[in-house]
Amino acid sequence: MIYFDSAATTLQKPPQVARAVQSAVGTLTGVGRGGHRAAMRAAETVYACRALAAELFDAAPEQVIFTMNATHGLNIAIRTLVPQGGRVVISGFEHNAVTRPLHALDAHITVAGRRLFSPDETLAAFEEALAQGQDAAVCTQMSNVFGYVLPVMPIAALCRRYGVPLILDASQAAGTLPVSLQKTGARFIAMPGHKGLYGPQGTGLLLCAGDARPLLFGGTGSSSASQEMPDFLPDRLEAGTHNVCGIAGLLEGLRFVRARTPQGILRHETRLLRELLPRLRAVPGLRVFSGERQGGVLSFTVEGMDCEEAAALLGRHGAAVRAGLHCAPLAHESAGTKEEGTVRVSFSAFNTAEEVHTFARLCKKLFAPAEKPKFPTCY
Amino acid sequence: MNDVFFTFRSVTAAMRGSRLLADQSIRSLTVRTPKLLQEQGCGYSLRIRAPDAARARQAFEQAQLRYSRIYRRGGDGQWQEVTL
């Protein structure tokens, strides 16, 4: 199978990730829940993961919070900064992980920058909204649908200038683009473990620059005599027993990313993108979305064919991609593809140029009008 | 008996302290804080040889790592808070 759905979850992981998870199941217990060998080894493993994440993302170890996924982290961040009915500026490419929590708070949302691959327009729209005063700004570093890399450093500088706390969604960026708590001055940065960090599903990180409001309340293995949640990080945001096995796997994923370097992985994915783009553009009937600032994600549509049917057809021929709205209707609205959706291709460090060439040939065979099946069967 | 205990509020802080000390070639053991020394309930401590205590404190302060208190067990078996 050609796996091109890493923007959802990387399927191919370094083999040491699975080994670490398996080993942890039988050797590690909970963190902060005892002084015996299995508990202390768990604590050491979890701390090693925390410390490595801190090193990779310019934070202190205590500022690294383990979450279930990026959505979990974004909910903590949004619930901390946005009051009921608060004012928030977001980019035009946010995921439902951002927009649904804001909707639940009945927030007044200003959408800044709706044009794809137009960083100047994005920036100008953010400045206009920030100047009006906001409780928070939320911005994805890279669109999960189109791979558009947003200008987060200048947006972060604007947020600092206007005194608006910034929440960064690094879901697609972590592992390929620079992600820095210190350099952006962001209040929160959320990311999943199971995408570009090559960890298991059910892992995530929230980088937390200041005080935060817990979503979960319960045991932390610290300050146990008090009925208040601890007032210090990371304990304040980590109630209940950690996903130690997942974190053990994530540690190996992070070690892989450190060894390959995010820049190296980005270079690899960009090379694959450059191989694929002209080949897809040469297929009649395909509309391919691409631009200057693009990571290893791209979307296309097939003239006269439902995107889900196109993805199912590719799947039956051995290529795994994702179609539809990708949980980001706002991004599709911005790009004008909300009605039809798109087929999304996304890469990882494990994809090859040969896979890209095979995939392009497959698209030509399946989607070029002369050879398109009259009655595509995908049921 | 010749060891001192630096108490920490969280296992994360204790783990960070342990690494800081290892970087300075100071040996430490991460242990549960003895119940009598717990101020707000469960916590962790770093057990360090007494001659290393002053260097350890300096390392924590330089790294802005906050510990709660420092204790030593006296000859009578009673815990005594230590000021270095």
Side-chain angles (χ1 to χ4, degrees), chain A residues 3-4 6 10-14 175-176 195-198 253 256-257 260-262 264-272 296 346-353 355:
Chain A
Y3 187 79
F4 282 170
S6 295
T10 45
L11 178 64
Q12 293 123 318
K13 317 268 190 194
T176 53
K195 299 182 196 276
L197 301 181
Y198 298 93
F256 170 79
V257 169
R260 293 281 295 263
T261 75
I265 296 172
L266 179 66
R267 257 197 312 276
H268 174 73
E269 293 185 11
T270 305
R271 259 198 306 269
L272 298 179
S346 51
F347 301 124
S348 80
F350 292 94
N351 292 128
T352 64
E355 287 179 317

Side-chain angles (χ1 to χ4, degrees), chain A residues 31-35 39-40 43-44 47-48 50-52 60-62 221-226 231-235 238, chain B residues 8-20 29-32 35 38-45 63-66:
Chain A
V31 177
R33 304 310 200 265
M40 294 315 295
E44 281 160 15
Y47 184 77
R50 211 187 289 280
L52 181 50
E62 293 89 347
S222 54
S223 306
S224 307
S226 169
D231 59 2
F232 49 89
L233 296 174
D235 300 38
E238 291 184 352
Chain B
F8 293 86
R9 294 190 296 178
S10 77
V11 68
T12 304
M15 287 282 161
R16 187 177 165 202
S18 168
R19 282 196 172 194
L20 282 171
L29 186 65
T30 310
V31 296
R32 296 277 287 179
K35 184 74 182 77
Q38 294 174 3
E39 289 175 60
Q40 291 188 312
C42 309
Y44 285 79
S45 296
Q64 294 182 317
L65 176 65
R66 201 171 138 195

Side-chain angles (χ1 to χ4, degrees), chain B residues 19-34:
Chain B
R19 282 196 172 194
L20 282 171
L21 296 184
D23 290 344
Q24 308 263 334
S25 304
I26 299 172
R27 289 181 64 182
S28 67
L29 186 65
T30 310
V31 296
R32 296 277 287 179
T33 300

Side-chain angles (χ1 to χ4, degrees), chain A residues 116-117 143-148 289 294 297-299 331-332 335 337 342:
Chain A
L116 260 179
F117 307 113
S143 162
N144 70 309
V145 182
F146 300 101
Y148 168 34
F289 295 84
Q294 188 167 14
V297 177
L298 105 159
S299 263
H332 282 281
T337 52
T342 59

